[in-house]
């Protein structure tokens, strides 16, 4: 079988950040890499789960809600995928920055995690850890530009 695009990226040199993983007509898949791959430091399941609830809730309620196709965690626990339709890259960067600011400052009940009928694993959450991941990524993405969305940008000198 043909290797899928995300498996062709050299994960040994991939840094934390936000990248365009692929473009399929009007849908763009973003790779939001929150920890360095294969370095032994992965996002804990409970933090990843909480981050997912908050990130998905924020983007699906944002001014760009009609452009959001999907937001969800990577199975390797190193980040998230965000799929958008017809949304300019600068707006996506701003949306992710806003989302992470929202998560870093979030207080209160985690959306969709109060009752078992809302979530298939509603008890496994870690808000303080999710907030820490968001705070860390706010620093990483603070000055992110459209050019930096290219995987190759970070390996070229």
């Amino acid at each position: 079988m043909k290797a899928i695009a995300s498996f062709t990226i050299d994960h040994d040199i991939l840094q934390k950040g936000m990248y365009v993983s692929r473009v399929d007509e009007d849908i763009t898949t973003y790779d939001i890499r929150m920890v360095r791959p294969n370095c032994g430091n992965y996002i804990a399941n409970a933090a990843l789960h909480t981050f997912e609830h908050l990130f998905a809730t924020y983007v699906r309620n944002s001014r760009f809600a009609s452009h959001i196709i999907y937001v969800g965690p990577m199975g390797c626990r190193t980040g998230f995928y965000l799929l958008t339709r017809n949304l300019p890259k600068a707006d996506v960067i701003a949306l992710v920055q806003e989302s992470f600011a929202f998560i870093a400052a979030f207080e209160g009940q985690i959306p969709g995690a109060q009752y078992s009928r809302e979530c298939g694993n509603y008890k496994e959450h870690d808000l303080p850890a999710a907030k820490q991941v968001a705070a860390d990524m706010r620093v990483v993405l603070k000055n992110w530009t459209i050019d930096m969305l290219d995987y190759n940008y970070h390996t070229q000198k």
Side-chain angles (χ1 to χ4, degrees):
M1 286 188 273
K2 181 179 169 186
I4 61 173
S6 62
F7 294 162
T8 65
I9 301 304
D10 188 344
H11 286 68
D12 290 335
I13 61 172
L14 189 57
Q15 300 295 313
K16 289 195 237 180
M18 181 174 167
Y19 308 96
V20 171
S21 176
R22 61 183 293 151
V23 178
D24 299 286
E25 297 179 19
D26 62 342
I27 298 175
T28 303
T29 300
Y30 291 90
D31 170 339
I32 304 170
R33 200 59 64 147
M34 300 158 76
V35 298
R36 293 241 5 244
N38 301 311
C39 289
N41 179 25
Y42 306 100
I43 305 169
N45 283 330
L48 193 74
H49 190 199
T50 301
F51 202 100
E52 175 193 17
H53 278 240
L54 293 170
F55 191 15
T57 297
Y58 188 87
V59 299
R60 289 180 178 145
N61 284 279
S62 75
R63 65 194 178 282
F64 302 119
S66 65
H67 298 275
I68 303 303
I69 303 299
Y70 173 78
V71 57
M74 296 176 182
C76 60
R77 300 185 357 244
T78 63
F80 277 77
Y81 289 112
L82 172 63
L83 281 71
T84 64
R85 172 176 280 133
N86 293 326
L87 191 57
K89 292 174 182 172
D91 289 339
V92 177
I93 293 170
L95 178 60
V96 170
Q97 290 167 331
E98 293 166 15
S99 299
F100 289 9
F102 166 78
I103 296 166
F106 187 82
E107 296 292 335
Q109 181 65 39
I110 299 162
Q114 190 170 4
Y115 305 106
S116 61
R117 67 179 175 266
E118 297 176 320
C119 175
N121 192 6
Y122 80 106
K123 290 185 179 182
E124 186 179 34
H125 284 278
D126 186 342
L127 180 57
K131 290 173 67 163
Q132 182 57 51
V133 171
D136 177 61
M137 283 303 294
R138 287 189 70 207
V139 174
V140 172
L141 298 176
K142 182 178 180 183
N143 297 309
W144 213 257
T145 66
I146 292 171
D147 290 340
M148 296 168 81
L149 292 170
D150 185 336
Y151 286 115
N152 294 320
Y153 177 91
H154 304 278
T155 58
Q156 298 171 351
K157 296 290 180 189

